[in-house]
Amino acid sequence: MSRVIAVTACGFMLAACSATMPSLDFLKSTPQPEALAIESEPPGADAKTSLGESCRTPCKLSVQPGSEFSVTVALSGYQPQTVSVRPETEGAAAAPRLAPNPVHVDLRPAAPPKKLVAKKKPVAAAARPAAPPPMASAAPTPAPTAAPAPAPALAPAPSAPTEAAPSATNYPWPSR
């Protein structure tokens, strides 16, 4: 009978060794989620973490302080900015805290797109008179005449300037 009890006891011990032991993970403390405050200037920007959570500033997100992640803040008309958030422990027994908390971002206006400036072509001589239409005659074109010389001081001055009437052939006749 003592052999039967010994064999049964060995069987139970062998079965106990082959069975999985319950894990002691329940004794480990998991970090509690921490509220991460996100602020922006101007407010109303979209904030998105690399963990996949998002909100509109000013807002608070519940985040596990386990590893480093980033927060990207973007608003239309402003340059988006990314801030890195990391867990920090103040002591060996202390739970990790997120730094920086709160995350504050000052958004800068986006640079306006460069406008293309059309180059202006130089304008031809502005007040050039139109050329007279060509004449059918074969006569040469008249040369410009010089202004008449001033009359001597003793001679009376003419009341109006006189011009020679053009002839049919546009030939300048000498004046007498």
Side-chain angles (χ1 to χ4, degrees):
M1 175 79 127
S2 65
R3 284 188 184 185
V4 174
I5 295 175
V7 171
T8 310
C10 284
F12 281 124
M13 285 195 307
L14 187 59
C17 288
S18 65
T20 58
M21 292 292 289
S23 149
L24 299 177
D25 287 341
F26 66 91
L27 295 177
K28 293 181 182 177
S29 65
T30 58
Q32 296 297 320
E34 186 174 343
L36 176 67
I38 304 172
E39 303 167 353
S40 70
E41 186 60 40
D46 293 323
K48 185 171 184 176
T49 67
S50 59
L51 303 173
E53 298 179 28
S54 62
C55 64
R56 189 169 301 260
T57 63
C59 61
K60 290 187 179 185
L61 295 173
S62 180
V63 180
Q64 290 286 353
S67 63
E68 186 171 336
F69 62 94
S70 63
V71 177
T72 302
V73 180
L75 182 63
S76 177
Y78 292 87
Q79 295 176 350
Q81 292 189 10
T82 302
V83 177
S84 179
V85 179
R86 64 195 173 287
E88 287 185 347
T89 54
E90 295 176 1
R97 309 288 296 174
L98 296 174
N101 193 5
V103 173
H104 184 78
V105 176
D106 287 327
L107 295 172
R108 289 182 235 130
K114 292 183 178 179
K115 294 182 181 178
L116 297 177
V117 177
K119 293 183 179 179
K120 294 183 179 179
K121 292 183 180 179
V123 179
R128 231 182 235 181
M135 299 188 114
S137 71
T141 59
T145 58
L154 300 175
S159 60
T162 59
E163 285 187 23
S167 69
T169 60
N170 286 335
Y171 187 78
W173 295 100
S175 62
R176 293 190 182 177

